[in-house]
């Protein structure tokens, strides 16, 4: 089996951390590098958190790069109200010893896509799309070399979580999202419509803890913390594990169901900034540019997560 090559672009975030662990616990995937971006918390913290997660997985060999510290043309909006002030609140966090790579994340993305055979690298964005859009704008030749983009962002039926109309990752950098959705690359989207069905429950969190390993304990403590926001705000049973849906799709696409639709991003209206206007009902003749997911087999998803985190 040849492992599928991926670059994870991320703003950890407890759910980002779980996504990275899922990838590192899965032999079907080769993580070429992790590129940090500003999002849930500012860039110095998302970068540090990416290092913490690699060390937790015992993978100090993974290349971690710092990327863009602010959206393309807007002021950064962060989400400490969800993730806490470190971005990974919950357990006591170690100070990472592992070194950050020299060089900028955007250069790494460009150089990797140029160096690897065309059509063999998948991009997995788990945060605002600033690094990816910057790479595409600076080096348009790499666009046709991307195998696929599988990203967490947007919403249709669930509409918004940071404003009434927009999901956080797209809202933070709508201009970047616009560039990515117009790139012509095959895009698989994990919107809130899916991730709000991938909810932690007591038995699911206890299954992580019962692994009896350090990654299992950390994931349980992260999800314990992360849950409190959604339980209070939405009255839901637990927290949505948004970002791991991206990695789970690469491993078991049959867990997800969606539609090929056209998705456009609102970049002008103050009221609906960052809205993903998905033509779910095909009411326009705009050509589909994304596989927009709508459903997940949550039991299968959590079984996969627990199994792979247990391998670390
Ligand atoms: C997304 O925003 C972040 O807070 C999460 O990490 C996820 O990527 C959900 O809207
Ligand atoms: Ca994220």
């Amino acid at each position: 089996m040849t492992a599928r090559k991926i670059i994870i672009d991320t703003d950890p975030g407890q759910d980002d951390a779980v996504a990275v662990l899922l990838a590192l616990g899965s032999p079907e995937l080769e993580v070429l590098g992790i590129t940090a971006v500003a999002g849930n918390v500012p860039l110095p913290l998302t970068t540090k958190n990416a290092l913490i997660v690699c060390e937790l997985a015992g993978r100090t060999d993974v290349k971690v790069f710092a990327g863009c510290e602010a959206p393309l043309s807007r002021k950064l909006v962060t989400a400490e109200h969800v993730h806490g002030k470190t971005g990974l609140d919950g357990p006591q966090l170690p100070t990472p010893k592992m070194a950050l790579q020299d060089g900028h994340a955007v250069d790494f993305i460009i150089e990797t896509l140029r160096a690897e055979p065309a059509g063999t690298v998948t991009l997995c964005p788990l945060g605002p799309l600033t690094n990816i859009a910057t790479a595409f704008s600076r080096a348009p030749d790499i666009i046709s070399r991307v195998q696929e983009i599988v990203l967490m962002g947007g919403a249709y039926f669930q509409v918004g979580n940071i404003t009434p109309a927009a999901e956080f990752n797209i809202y933070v950098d709508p201009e970047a999202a616009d560039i990515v959705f117009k790139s012509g690359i095959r895009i698989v989207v994990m919107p809130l419509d899916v991730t709000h069905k991938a909810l932690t429950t007591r038995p699911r969190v206890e299954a992580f803890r019962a692994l009896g390993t350090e990654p299992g304990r950390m994931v349980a403590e992260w999800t314990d913390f992360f849950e409190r926001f959604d339980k209070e705000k939405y009255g839901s049973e637990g927290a949505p594990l948004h970002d791991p849906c991206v990695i789970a799709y690469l491993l078991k696409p049959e867990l997800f169901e969606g539609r090929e639709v056209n998705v456009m991003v609102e970049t002008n209206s103050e009221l609906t900034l960052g809205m993903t206007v998905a033509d779910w009902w095909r009411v326009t003749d705009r050509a589909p540019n994304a596989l927009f997911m709508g459903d997940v087999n949550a039991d299968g998803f959590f079984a996969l997560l627990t199994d792979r985190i247990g391998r670390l």
Side-chain angles (χ1 to χ4, degrees):
M1 177 195 71
T2 352
R4 182 166 177 178
K5 294 174 192 166
I6 65 169
I7 295 175
I8 303 178
D9 188 68
T10 177
D11 63 336
Q14 292 89 349
D15 62 318
D16 300 72
V18 179
V20 170
L21 292 176
L22 174 60
L24 295 179
S26 297
E28 302 94 325
L29 301 175
E30 180 186 354
V31 180
L32 299 178
I34 296 180
T35 51
V37 68
N40 287 321
V41 284
L43 184 70
L45 285 172
T46 58
T47 306
K48 178 180 174 188
N49 292 347
L51 296 171
I52 290 174
V53 176
C54 291
E55 280 190 6
L56 174 63
R59 291 292 305 276
T60 51
D61 60 305
V62 175
K63 294 179 184 162
V64 177
F65 296 85
C68 299
E69 62 187 4
L72 297 186
S73 55
R74 294 176 190 273
K75 212 168 152 289
L76 178 66
V77 174
T78 52
E80 284 88 354
H81 59 294
V82 182
H83 301 273
K85 74 176 186 324
T86 65
L88 288 183
D89 275 19
Q92 179 82 34
L93 296 174
T95 305
K97 294 185 214 53
M98 177 184 157
L100 184 66
Q101 297 291 309
D102 292 335
H104 195 281
V106 169
D107 293 323
F108 170 75
I109 293 169
I110 294 171
E111 283 158 19
T112 305
L113 280 161
R114 284 181 178 159
E116 296 289 339
T120 63
V121 177
T122 294
L123 301 177
C124 302
L126 310 178
L129 289 154
T130 320
N131 285 344
I132 308 294
T134 305
F136 289 175
S137 302
R138 215 180 276 169
D141 59 291
I142 64 173
I143 294 175
S144 63
R145 304 182 68 83
V146 176
Q147 181 177 7
E148 192 176 27
I149 295 177
V150 185
L151 65 84
M152 191 281 138
Y156 181 70
F157 293 100
Q158 291 283 313
V159 199
N161 63 353
I162 184 76
T163 73
E167 180 279 329
F168 179 79
N169 288 343
I170 307 296
Y171 176 79
V172 172
D173 201 343
E175 284 76 18
D178 186 48
I179 289 172
V180 170
F181 277 95
K182 287 180 178 159
S183 67
I185 299 169
R186 180 183 155 80
I187 304 179
V188 179
V189 182
M190 293 293 164
L192 296 180
D193 309 292
V194 168
T195 67
H196 281 181
K197 292 174 184 161
L199 291 181
T200 57
T201 58
R202 258 316 87 199
R204 288 170 179 167
V205 175
E206 291 318 319
F208 292 133
R209 213 184 312 272
L211 290 170
T213 61
E214 192 58 2
R217 180 185 71 82
M218 293 287 275
V219 168
E221 291 192 23
W222 276 327
T223 46
D224 279 344
F225 178 87
F226 192 47
E227 275 187 356
R228 107 220 163 277
F229 174 81
D230 290 85
K231 281 179 165 169
E232 278 165 26
K233 183 142 186 125
Y234 303 107
S236 54
E237 193 182 353
L241 285 191
H242 306 282
D243 295 338
C245 290
V246 165
I247 306 297
Y249 173 79
L250 298 176
L251 299 169
K252 283 197 163 193
E254 65 274 16
L255 292 174
F256 300 89
E257 270 176 43
R259 288 189 190 184
E260 301 279 352
V261 301
N262 179 275
V263 180
M264 292 184 71
V265 178
E266 176 58 60
T267 55
N268 292 312
S269 156
E270 206 179 307
L271 186 65
T272 58
L273 186 70
M275 185 172 192
T276 43
V277 181
D279 190 3
W280 186 262
W281 300 112
R282 298 261 174 93
V283 294
T284 73
D285 55 10
R286 294 195 285 263
N289 60 351
L291 174 56
F292 201 82
M293 293 303 185
D295 210 354
V296 57
N297 168 351
D299 285 333
F301 168 75
F302 276 92
L304 176 68
L305 257 182
T306 313
D307 171 52
R308 297 309 169 89
I309 285 164
R311 296 189 192 189
L312 290 169

